[in-house]
Every structure is written in structure tokens, then in C-alpha cells.
Amino acid sequence: MTKVIGPPRPLLDKIAQQLNLPVGKAHFGSFPDGERLVKVEEDLAGETVLLVGSTGPPVDSNTLELALLADAVRRAGAARILAVIPYLGYSRSERVSPAGSPLACRVIADLLSRCGIERLVTLDLHASAIAGFFSIPVVEVSAIPILSQSLPKFRAGKGVIVSPDAGGIRRATHLASLLGLPLGFAVKHRSSPTQTQVLELWGELHDRDVILCDDIISTGGTLAEAAKIAFQQGAASVVAIATHAVMAPGAETRLKEAGIKRVVVTDSLETQIPWFEYVSAAPPLTETLRRLI
Ligand code: R5P
């Protein structure tokens, strides 16, 4: 038998429902000193377990909680553990930059690879090469097809997909090919975690409806800067799609002030921004999980 387990969250329920699987009982809390407290409250002997969790904010606590849950599930006798972690925290620390920094993404990958998880299913990794940091197989599912279905209609011949940085060109190319639209991209410089500068924007943007396509919205600086330059270059409108709405404080205001009128994101994280359009990542994730189980 297969069961779904994890800290309570809507995406877990949707995945369990769509796969028609029971949700296993577990308790999540804290010890008085702040350490995470996790307890599996049913027999999982011989079961295949889909461990669904988030490593979104608070990233450190959620990540450790998942690792502890995986260990508890393994000790409860599960035969197989497939982890579904749509958003991978620390994924932007996938290189040592600036010098003197840790390769944090690798540290997280080591932790998650060593707690009993057999395979990891995730959504739009910041960089696909991150899969190689894990010593377990990683299956990366793309949210671009479902996000593309929620985009507004554009004036014929006027739409253009823009990647707000060089790292996102692969995702933006995927979207552009699905929609049959031309592609542009920005050259971005990040001087600190909160300071982003778009140096240049390539592509024909005059009188165009621009669709910015990114993986993560954190401070909102990347999308806001790209939108500002797009308007300076004559764009008629700017909308944005992104897989993971991390939404650090101030991000919503930054996007609004930059004139971005619509933002389409997935429910990989629990942030709720009233004017955002949320599409569920459950269908593409369950399609992959069905094949794996
Ligand atoms: C960076 O390389 C990512 O692809 C995103 O562009 C970035 O994480 C967005 O962060 P922020 O919203 O803080 O600019």
C-alpha cells in the first residue's frame, strides 16, 4: 500500500486526493528549547510512503523537519520513501559566490540524500545541474506548461517572453516554444541579496506585451527591475509568471510599483497574495508520481 505523509498543507491534500491515497498520521511541533519534534503515529511497515513537504520559509526549520520526518518514516518500517519537495530552499546557493560562501545547496542535498529518501521529486529547480548534488535520483517536473495555460490573451503578434536573467533562459525558451512567441532576455547583476540591477534587456519590446518568466520571486527585485527596463524600452504591458512565490517582505509592493499588472504562480509555497493567480502544481506532480509508484 502507498500512503502520503507530511506537515499539513493544501498541496499535500491535493496530491493525496488526486492519487486517491490515504494521508498518514504524524505529529509536528517543537521541544521547549526550539528543536523540531516529529512523530509518526501509525504503522508504515512495508509501505511505499510519499513524503510531501516544503523547504520554503522558515527554510531551516522546514528543511530539518523534513529530514527528521524521513528518518522517522524509515524507522517506522517504510519499504520506500519518495519525497515530494516542490520548492528547494537554498537552491540559489548552488555555487560559491561571493568567495568565502558555503555551497549551501550541496549541504542541503547531502542532508536530504542521507535520511532514507529513495528518490526526490521536485518542481523547476533553480538550475537543473542541482540534481547532480544529490546522491539519490532527482526527478524535476516543469510547471511551465500549467503556468502557460493561465496566461492572458495577448494582441496578435505582440507577445514576447522575457527571461529576467541569463540563468532563466532555458525555462523562458520552453514557454516561448509552447506559446509560439519570440524570446528576449535580461542581463542582471546582483550586488547583494536585496540589490538587483538589470543592466540590459535584449529583444524587440517596443509596443509589445511582455511576459516575464522566472523560477522564484523572493524580494521581487529581479522582476521589478526587468519590468522597469521593459517599459523604458517601450513595452505596452508587463505580466509575470514564476513557479515559486517565496515573497519576502516588500516583494508585493515592488512588483506593483514596477507596473506589473498580473502575476501567475504555483502553489508550491503557501504564500497568499490576493491579486496573484495561483495554479496548482498538483496535476504535473501527480502525473509523475503515478508513474513512479
Ligand atoms: C535568480 O537567479 C532567480 O532565478 C530569480 O530571478 C531570483 O531568485 C529572484 O529573486 P528576487 O525576487 O529576490 O529578485
Side-chain angles (χ1 to χ4, degrees):
M1 181 157 172
T2 304
K3 282 181 183 162
V4 181
I5 203 162
R9 57 193 303 240
L11 188 57
L12 178 147
D13 293 332
K14 286 181 198 162
I15 290 173
Q17 241 167 35
Q18 289 178 20
L19 291 172
N20 200 17
L21 293 174
V23 177
K25 286 197 190 70
H27 172 76
F28 301 93
S30 306
F31 287 100
D33 61 1
E35 290 177 354
R36 299 305 296 153
L37 190 160
V38 174
K39 189 166 182 291
V40 170
E41 293 179 326
E42 64 180 275
D43 183 18
L44 297 175
E47 312 264 7
T48 293
V49 174
L50 295 187
L51 192 154
V52 180
S54 170
T55 59
V59 178
D60 300 348
S61 158
N62 281 338
T63 305
L64 194 59
E65 186 175 73
L66 274 192
L68 296 176
L69 176 63
D71 188 68
V73 168
R74 176 175 58 166
R75 289 173 200 284
R80 288 177 81 195
I81 307 174
L82 304 182
V84 186
I85 307 178
Y87 171 72
L88 198 65
Y90 286 103
S91 61
R92 289 171 295 167
S93 301
E94 90 288 17
R95 61 209 150 94
V96 177
S97 174
S101 312
L103 191 54
C105 186
R106 172 67 200 249
V107 174
I108 300 297
D110 280 346
L111 173 70
L112 294 174
S113 297
R114 288 178 188 180
C115 49
I117 297 168
E118 177 187 305
R119 190 179 291 264
L120 169 68
V121 176
T122 187
L123 194 68
D124 286 344
L125 281 169
H126 175 59
S128 287
I130 289 171
F133 288 2
F134 288 79
S135 57
I136 51 173
V138 175
V139 182
E140 184 187 4
V141 176
S142 173
I144 295 295
I146 44 155
L147 287 168
S148 74
Q149 289 162 17
S150 291
L151 279 170
K153 294 270 171 286
F154 296 103
R155 294 170 298 148
K158 295 291 186 183
V160 57
I161 306 296
V162 172
S163 171
D165 57 29
I169 290 178
R170 184 182 56 95
R171 268 182 302 276
T173 307
H174 184 186
L175 181 64
S177 70
L178 285 177
L179 299 174
L181 291 176
L183 186 68
F185 72 96
V187 179
K188 177 176 98 177
H189 173 66
R190 188 184 281 284
S191 43
S192 79
T194 51
Q195 297 272 306
T196 306
Q197 200 186 352
V198 169
L199 304 171
E200 239 171 302
L201 227 165
W202 291 73
E204 179 49 60
L205 304 186
H206 184 73
D207 191 34
R208 296 291 183 128
D209 296 323
V210 171
I211 303 122
L212 296 172
C213 171
D214 210 351
D215 57 334
I216 296 169
I217 310 176
S218 181
T219 64
T222 300
L223 289 178
E225 283 298 304
K228 280 182 204 161
I229 308 282
F231 283 123
Q232 280 167 19
Q233 292 186 198
S237 68
V238 177
V239 303
I241 71 165
T243 307
H244 308 292
V246 176
M247 303 306 287
E252 188 185 351
T253 311
R254 243 169 241 123
L255 300 180
K256 273 189 182 157
E257 287 178 356
I260 300 176
K261 290 277 179 295
R262 290 181 69 167
V263 180
V264 185
V265 295
T266 76
D267 57 357
S268 68
L269 292 158
E270 266 81 56
T271 46
Q272 282 300 329
I273 307 296
W275 58 282
F276 279 19
E277 289 161 55
Y278 286 83
V279 296
S280 184
L285 288 171
T286 49
E287 196 185 309
T288 300
L289 290 168
R290 226 172 245 127
R291 276 186 274 121
L292 293 175
I293 58 177

